[in-house]
Amino acid sequence: MQDIKNPILSVGSQVYTADGKLIAEYYRENRSPVEYKAISPYLIDALVSTEDVRFYSHGGVDYFSFFTSMISTAKGDRRGASTITQQLAKNLYATRKKTSAGLLSHIPVIKTIIFKCKEWLTAYKLEHVYSKEDILTLYLNTVPFGSNSFGIKTASLRFFNKMPDAVTPAEAATLIGMLKATSTYNPINNPDKATDRRNTVLSQMLKNKKLTQDVYDASIKAPLGLNLSYVENNSQGDSYIRQAVERWLKKWCTDNNYDLYEDGLKIYTTIDSKLQLYAEQAVAQKMKMLQKRFDDLWGKKNPWRDSKGNEIKDFVLKAEQRLPVYSVLDKKFHGDTVQIKQYFEKKKHMKVFTWHGERDTVFSSVDSIKYYTRILNAGMMTIEPSTGKIKVWVGGIDHHYFRYDHVNQAKRQAGSTFKPFAYVTAIDNGMCPCDKFTDKPVSIKYNDGGKDQYWAPNNADFKFTGQEMSLRWAMGKSVNSITAQVTEKVGWAKIVEYAHRIGIESPLKSVPSVALGSNDVSVFEMVRAYSTFLNRGQKIDPLLVTKITDQDGNVLQEFTLKSEQVLSEETAWLMLYMFRGGMEEPGGTSLALWEYPDLFKKDNQIGGKTGTSSNYVDGWYMGITKDLVTGIWVGADDRSVHFTTSETGEGSHTALPIFGAFMTKVYDDPNSGYTYGPFPKPWSKITKQYDCPSPRLSDSTATDSLVMPVDTSGTISKPIEKPENEPGG
């Protein structure tokens, strides 16, 4: 009886880093209770008329309704028979939870009987302890309205910007109508269905004499009248990691019948609190500088441009039309674009994100669209391939203002960070790092939709040197023409096969340009795939959570690394050698890392690959050390917004500096757990030639972009100037 008198609505779950620091919680903060007297009688009447018309006359279970529903179900007209009290019992005490049932609950028919009996017993207890008003109040304070919104106060504020005692009959009917199916009858997403359901509720209220005919007639003709201006403060300490953990555990929770928001779980992640802090600091430091560079570049000009550099005139209008509120306004104003425009141009006070902290301002919705479209964002992930543990997860620059996760939700063109999949295909099929190709114009014939097409890629500087280059030099310098020749030799379908084998899960269009990064992929996928090279050719399923316990510390689940050998150890090691070419070969696209001299102490080795999509829309850097693989993407959320020159927009100038700043912080901390050092020695016998000599400045084959002098001992010296990179490099 004590649990009936003192119901616990829910117990939130907690999320910890690998080193035991609490970083997030899940709980129903927006379950904001109100007293009975603060609830409109219209809401009470709508609820009782629709859900439980004999509520005031039964003692918790309505046997008449139960037996008539059984007869209806037998006739094929399935309808519910649970009273409001029974529904409250389920909401408060989870009578249908796996944890509240015994062994007999595994027998289908017996299970239903057991659950029903528990509901009935609990409902009787509720009716014995609480008054009818108390039961209605408890119910309306706990019932879900979808999207993690619980309680009538939250719902009335969210949809009508009104407290529950101020809603009209039509608004009350809309809210109560949602309870039948919160997604189907959501007035934002499905206004027509919500209106039909509202009118059904109003009809029930009229039938039960809770509305006069005049009020009914006026209410049924009224528009939905949504007011979506209310902003909830329900972040609950939200973060990209918190959301990532929730997505990662979604299937586990469903399979095991757990609710992160109510079951008091303790979740232990793989995130390293120190590395996470260093990553967030590096992102903030470099993105602040990049944003200033971007703003200086565009000034007061609008940066949304088509492929030819022309401003997209209807950009803002289309952005408005993509907002959920637009369809509501369109229905409210019957398609009157003048009134819709007035709504979007109305000024109001708001807080906006800046790199100098939140700023109070007066913006219209149009102003807000223009402001936020110009802001650059980033995604960053670091993994320890040997254990599969994700150490860093930075989904964006500020979760409060930018909820979209740029690690595994966003997918963008990978540019030249995809080139290594062409080279690993070549090496795994007979070639070696020292094999040479000539930097020359290439035209590849292929069939697209039954028609013959020709693809002729340019190099970054639109020049072809005519030089012979080793595969290592070509990948290190990111030469498009040689990558195209490798693609033609091994087959673009084969490259797609290897990319999927190594860790890319997104669908890839099999075209000659595949190796230049023409497909969209996520940071998560790229980090996973690159980890295969450092992990001796074993593809891993990255771990974000290692263990889940209940409130008392009892282990509910432990997660272990799953791996699969997809490359030979020789091929994997040779690829690490290839990646070092970005730092060690003349014109290597990773040479900008020399601006971070602390990275190269104690014979430390770093491999990596830059990437830039066409028109400098996406900037990438994939960095590899002896212990870690890090992937970074930088760009604007809208692809029509981007830098315009290689000096400002290439991956070597946008994403690479974040990696440099991050790893410098990691190495400068003696307690980070990660130290300087060379890449691992070969794990097995290397049968292919790989130690091919690098060209020197004095060689007749050297080009203007050879900026990495090599002394007679073969030691790499600091470059005398920055390398020339290319879009896609």
Side-chain angles (χ1 to χ4, degrees):
M1 186 65 73
Q2 187 62 30
D3 62 330
I4 295 295
K5 292 181 178 179
N6 300 290
I8 299 173
L9 299 186
S10 64
V11 179
S13 299
Q14 297 178 319
V15 181
Y16 295 88
T17 61
D19 44 339
K21 294 187 177 181
L22 178 65
I23 53 172
E25 294 182 273
Y26 302 95
Y27 54 95
R28 309 291 188 196
E29 189 177 55
N30 56 351
R31 190 199 297 268
S32 185
V34 291
E35 296 180 1
Y36 182 83
K37 63 184 179 181
I39 301 173
S40 168
Y42 294 129
L43 287 164
I44 301 295
D45 292 340
L47 176 64
V48 173
S49 297
T50 309
E51 295 292 325
D52 189 359
V53 71
R54 280 177 290 278
F55 172 72
Y56 291 103
S57 61
H58 64 64
V61 178
D62 187 348
Y63 291 106
F64 177 80
S65 180
F66 176 72
F67 286 114
T68 56
S69 73
M70 290 180 64
I71 294 171
S72 296
T73 300
K75 293 180 178 180
D77 180 20
R78 192 178 177 87
R79 63 181 178 86
S82 292
T83 65
I84 290 173
T85 314
Q86 286 175 260
Q87 293 177 46
L88 175 62
K90 284 188 285 187
N91 289 344
L92 288 181
Y93 307 105
T95 57
R96 291 186 182 245
K97 271 197 165 271
K98 189 181 294 185
T99 53
S100 65
L103 294 175
L104 292 176
S105 67
H106 296 287
I107 305 173
V109 177
I110 300 297
K111 176 176 69 174
T112 302
I113 295 173
I114 290 173
F115 286 147
K116 266 300 173 189
C117 288
K118 286 192 174 188
E119 283 176 18
W120 288 356
L121 289 172
T122 307
Y124 280 129
K125 288 181 180 180
L126 285 169
E127 292 275 353
H128 179 72
V129 173
Y130 294 109
S131 69
K132 291 290 186 178
E133 287 186 359
D134 290 337
I135 290 171
L136 289 170
T137 305
L138 276 169
Y139 179 84
L140 285 171
N141 279 329
T142 57
V143 68
F145 285 87
S147 301
N148 292 332
S149 296
F150 282 71
I152 192 62
K153 179 181 176 181
T154 300
S156 58
L157 284 169
R158 179 180 182 189
F159 295 107
F160 299 108
N161 196 20
K162 290 182 178 181
M163 293 296 287
D165 60 351
V167 296
T168 66
E171 292 165 349
T174 301
L175 292 169
I176 298 303
M178 290 179 65
L179 300 181
K180 183 177 177 66
T182 54
S183 296
T184 302
Y185 300 114
N186 184 298
I188 297 176
N189 300 327
N190 298 303
D192 291 337
K193 290 183 178 179
T195 301
D196 291 342
R197 178 61 184 163
R198 177 202 68 178
N199 293 344
T200 298
V201 176
L202 288 169
S203 297
Q204 287 295 107
M205 294 172 73
L206 178 66
K207 178 181 176 182
N208 289 284
K209 299 180 181 180
K210 300 301 181 182
L211 293 178
T212 65
Q213 187 67 48
D214 290 343
V215 173
Y216 169 78
D217 290 340
S219 299
I220 207 166
K221 294 175 183 177
L224 282 174
L226 299 183
N227 183 341
L228 306 178
S229 58
Y230 178 73
V231 179
E232 294 177 274
N233 182 21
N234 67 336
S235 64
Q236 309 165 31
D238 212 348
S239 66
Y240 295 109
I241 295 175
R242 180 179 178 276
Q243 292 297 317
V245 169
E246 183 171 5
R247 289 192 298 272
W248 203 84
L249 288 177
K250 183 178 181 179
K251 185 178 185 302
W252 182 87
C253 287
T254 300
D255 292 346
N256 295 277
N257 202 15
Y258 282 103
D259 187 332
L260 289 179
Y261 291 83
E262 299 195 352
D263 290 338
L265 306 175
K266 293 187 183 295
I267 302 157
Y268 297 90
T269 72
T270 59
I271 298 296
D272 185 303
S273 64
K274 286 187 176 182
L275 267 63
Q276 180 69 24
L277 175 62
Y278 297 150
E280 291 174 356
Q281 289 175 340
V283 167
Q285 174 192 350
K286 297 301 181 181
M287 290 302 294
K288 182 177 180 180
M289 296 168 59
L290 283 173
Q291 189 64 55
K292 184 179 185 306
R293 183 195 304 170
F294 184 86
D295 292 340
D296 290 343
L297 170 68
W298 285 104
K300 295 183 179 180
K301 295 184 294 184
N302 291 327
W304 35 90
R305 307 282 163 150
D306 61 22
S307 59
K308 297 180 180 179
N310 300 314
E311 182 180 341
I312 303 171
K313 298 299 182 183
D314 60 350
F315 178 86
V316 174
L317 175 60
K318 288 184 176 178
E320 293 172 359
Q321 293 172 343
R322 288 193 295 268
L323 296 174
V325 72
Y326 192 92
S327 60
V328 177
L329 295 170
D330 187 51
K331 187 173 182 65
K332 177 180 180 180
F333 296 129
H334 306 289
D336 187 338
T337 57
V338 174
Q339 293 189 71
I340 296 175
K341 183 178 180 183
Q342 288 174 349
Y343 174 89
F344 278 105
E345 292 182 346
K346 183 180 179 180
K347 301 281 187 178
K348 51 195 170 187
H349 288 276
M350 65 175 68
K351 294 181 183 290
V352 296
F353 167 85
T354 79
W355 280 111
H356 304 285
E358 280 188 333
R359 175 165 65 91
D360 288 304
T361 188
V362 178
F363 267 3
S364 67
S365 297
V366 170
D367 296 331
S368 181
I369 289 170
K370 290 181 177 180
Y371 178 79
Y372 282 111
T373 300
R374 297 174 65 103
I375 293 181
L376 302 176
N377 223 308
M380 176 177 177
M381 174 177 154
T382 298
I383 198 169
E384 186 179 73
S386 61
T387 62
K389 294 178 179 179
I390 299 170
K391 297 294 181 177
V392 165
W393 188 297
V394 181
I397 56 175
D398 188 305
H399 186 268
H400 180 69
Y401 285 97
F402 307 95
R403 296 298 180 93
Y404 199 58
D405 194 314
H406 298 85
V407 170
N408 71 342
Q409 286 184 307
K411 293 187 178 184
R412 301 295 285 258
Q413 288 190 345
S416 289
T417 57
F418 213 84
K419 286 178 179 174
F421 300 126
Y423 289 95
V424 71
T425 306
I427 289 175
D428 206 47
N429 286 274
M431 296 191 204
C432 72
C434 295
D435 285 348
K436 293 184 177 181
F437 287 78
T438 302
D439 177 15
K440 63 182 180 180
V442 180
S443 180
I444 299 177
K445 181 180 178 180
Y446 68 104
N447 189 277
D448 185 18
K451 295 182 180 180
D452 286 341
Q453 305 283 346
Y454 290 88
W455 178 60
N458 281 308
N459 283 333
D461 54 4
F462 299 95
K463 298 177 182 177
F464 300 97
T465 63
Q467 291 177 303
E468 272 197 339
M469 306 178 75
S470 67
L471 289 186
R472 187 181 194 244
W473 185 13
M475 189 177 106
K477 195 182 176 191
S478 202
V479 180
N480 289 346
S481 67
I482 292 180
T483 304
Q485 293 175 62
V486 172
T487 298
E488 185 176 31
K489 191 172 184 67
V490 300
W492 40 92
K494 196 76 170 176
I495 293 172
V496 168
E497 176 192 326
Y498 267 79
H500 282 146
R501 179 195 299 183
I502 292 169
I504 300 297
E505 294 181 337
S506 292
L508 302 172
K509 189 175 181 181
S510 181
V511 291
S513 61
V514 63
L516 269 58
S518 56
N519 288 284
D520 285 359
V521 293
S522 68
V523 171
F524 183 93
E525 292 174 284
M526 291 296 285
V527 172
R528 179 192 190 192
Y530 272 57
S531 296
T532 304
F533 304 125
L534 192 59
N535 197 40
R536 302 187 174 207
Q538 294 183 48
K539 178 180 70 175
I540 57 175
D541 284 335
L543 288 172
L544 183 57
V545 175
T546 56
K547 182 174 67 173
I548 303 174
T549 72
D550 63 17
Q551 297 178 70
D552 300 320
N554 299 310
V555 177
L556 302 176
Q557 183 75 55
E558 287 187 290
F559 299 92
T560 55
L561 179 63
K562 296 178 181 178
S563 61
E564 176 188 1
Q565 194 77 40
V566 294
L567 293 174
S568 68
E569 290 187 344
E570 179 181 14
T571 295
W573 188 88
L574 286 173
M575 284 304 297
L576 292 184
Y577 175 74
M578 294 278 286
F579 280 116
R580 281 166 43 200
M583 284 298 303
E584 299 174 0
E585 293 286 353
T589 57
S590 293
L591 291 178
L593 284 177
W594 282 110
E595 295 179 11
Y596 303 88
D598 285 353
L599 296 181
F600 302 99
K601 296 177 180 178
K602 302 179 181 179
D603 298 321
N604 194 47
Q605 288 181 329
I606 291 178
K609 189 73 196 73
T610 58
T612 314
S613 64
S614 298
N615 298 318
Y616 314 102
V617 172
D618 307 287
W620 290 76
Y621 191 70
M622 302 296 301
I624 305 174
T625 70
K626 67 180 178 66
D627 302 303
L628 302 171
V629 172
T630 297
I632 301 164
W633 167 87
V634 171
D637 282 323
D638 194 287
R639 301 185 195 220
S640 67
V641 177
H642 47 78
F643 286 103
T644 58
T645 66
S646 60
E647 290 77 13
T648 56
E650 285 187 342
S652 59
H653 301 298
T654 60
L656 179 147
I658 296 174
F659 175 80
F662 166 64
M663 287 307 304
T664 296
K665 293 175 185 291
V666 172
Y667 287 138
D668 283 350
D669 180 357
N671 298 314
S672 71
Y674 297 97
T675 58
Y676 296 102
F679 276 10
K681 294 181 178 180
W683 303 296
S684 59
K685 183 179 180 181
I686 304 301
T687 62
K688 297 180 179 180
Q689 181 186 3
Y690 67 90
D691 193 13
C692 32
S694 297
R696 308 175 189 278
L697 285 175
S698 58
D699 289 349
S700 59
T701 58
T703 71
D704 293 337
S705 62
L706 301 188
V707 297
M708 177 65 78
V710 183
D711 64 27
T712 54
S713 66
T715 303
I716 302 298
S717 306
K718 188 172 181 177
I720 54 177
E721 61 184 68
K722 291 183 182 179
E724 185 175 47
N725 297 305
E726 78 276 7

